[in-house]
Amino acid sequence: MPTLHVLGTCAGWPEPGRACCGYALRTSDSYLAVDLGHGTLGPLLQLLDGNLTRLAGVVVSHAHPDHCADLIGLARALVLGSSVRHVPLVAPPRVARTAAAADPEDGEQVIAEASATPESAASAGPFGVTTSPTPHYVENYACRVQADDRVLVHTGDTGPDERLARFASGADVLLSESTDRAQEQHHSADADTRRYLLTGSQAGELAMSAQVGHLVLTHFWPGNDRDLSRREAQKTYRGPVTVADEGAAIEV
Ligand SMILES: [Zn+2]
């Protein structure tokens, strides 16, 4: 059974002692990285025990740095510290351009070929990956990952979206953003926030509509009350709800 390892959970920038969003799905001895925000590369390398041949691929939802900043460091580790010269990368083209531009000498060697279309299907070692676009400030793809007949869906960043509910249908685990900017004292939820990000309650609605087996909340705005987000999600989704935490390992 695959295991979802949580590398980081913060939206925007890392809270002290935490990292921005990143995860690694493991089956047997292979790992698939899903997003690599600030501070996630160290924990990923620890999981891999420094052996980058165990990394079957990387999926990045979008080009905001809280989801892709450590892709730059990964490229350096691949080029300068391993014999691996290419790792499949499923991501919007802007992700590859951004990372390659930040490190034109080394980055381009291993990540310039990265691309994904709005509805692409790819395989990375034992993982099957399909993507679907979601509403966000920039091009964002949710991913649906299959391994050992189990299914993980990661939303990336998104607003409420009926297409996403269909895309996530029946997943064993839905790893959903729960930015919950509405919790902020000084942030009045404007139209863009409502269109492009979810609250805990809306993450629960998505999980309920998609009839998933387990909802895992992540992508919390720094300073938010994560347990409050969980309680709000439990009002709209009747299945199990887990708050993602750095270092957690969750069975898929
Ligand atoms: Zn984000």
Side-chain angles (χ1 to χ4, degrees):
M1 182 173 286
T3 304
L4 175 67
H5 294 269
V6 179
L7 311 174
T9 60
C10 294
W13 69 98
E15 286 188 65
R18 294 188 183 274
C20 279
C21 286
Y23 321 90
L25 186 64
R26 175 184 185 162
T27 183
S28 303
D29 204 29
S30 290
Y31 289 82
L32 181 75
V34 178
D35 279 0
L36 284 172
H38 308 281
T40 56
L41 181 58
L44 175 66
L45 293 174
Q46 196 165 16
L47 274 177
L48 298 172
D49 202 17
N51 182 356
L52 284 161
T53 64
R54 299 168 83 186
L55 185 63
V58 180
V59 182
V60 175
S61 59
H62 65 293
H64 282 159
D66 55 323
H67 299 261
C68 71
D70 277 10
L71 190 56
I72 299 162
L74 176 64
R76 288 229 122 186
L78 287 165
V79 172
L80 304 177
S82 84
S83 58
V84 180
R85 285 293 169 268
H86 181 73
V87 173
L89 173 59
V90 179
R94 184 172 163 185
V95 170
R97 286 201 304 272
T98 301
D103 189 359
E105 284 184 17
D106 297 322
E108 283 188 356
Q109 292 186 42
V110 286
I111 56 180
E113 293 169 22
S115 65
T117 59
E119 276 146 12
S120 59
S123 61
F127 304 98
V129 182
T130 56
T131 57
S132 183
T134 74
H136 192 49
Y137 301 91
V138 298
E139 188 178 28
N140 179 92
Y141 298 150
C143 67
R144 185 179 177 101
V145 183
Q146 180 140 0
D148 303 339
D149 293 329
R150 304 291 289 178
V151 172
L152 166 76
V153 170
H154 173 236
T155 61
D157 288 0
T158 182
D161 186 31
E162 283 180 19
R163 181 171 47 183
L164 178 56
R166 290 195 295 276
F167 181 71
S169 177
D172 295 291
V173 170
L174 173 64
L175 178 61
S176 176
E177 75 121 298
S178 178
T179 317
D180 244 335
R181 291 207 64 179
Q183 278 193 29
E184 286 175 85
Q185 249 182 342
H186 304 294
H187 181 80
S188 56
D190 55 24
D192 274 0
T193 302
R194 289 194 295 272
R195 195 179 308 140
Y196 295 140
L197 292 168
L198 295 180
T199 63
S201 174
Q202 288 170 324
E205 286 171 8
L206 173 63
M208 197 66 200
S209 166
Q211 292 287 294
V212 302
H214 182 185
L215 171 62
V216 178
L217 300 178
T218 187
H219 195 262
F220 297 100
W221 200 253
N224 272 14
D225 179 343
R226 296 175 176 216
D227 200 52
L228 175 59
S229 298
R230 181 184 58 77
R231 293 198 303 274
E232 291 298 315
Q234 283 176 322
K235 289 178 185 170
T236 51
Y237 170 63
R238 285 194 283 276
V241 180
T242 297
V243 171
D245 203 12
E246 280 74 4
I250 298 164
E251 280 192 359
V252 175

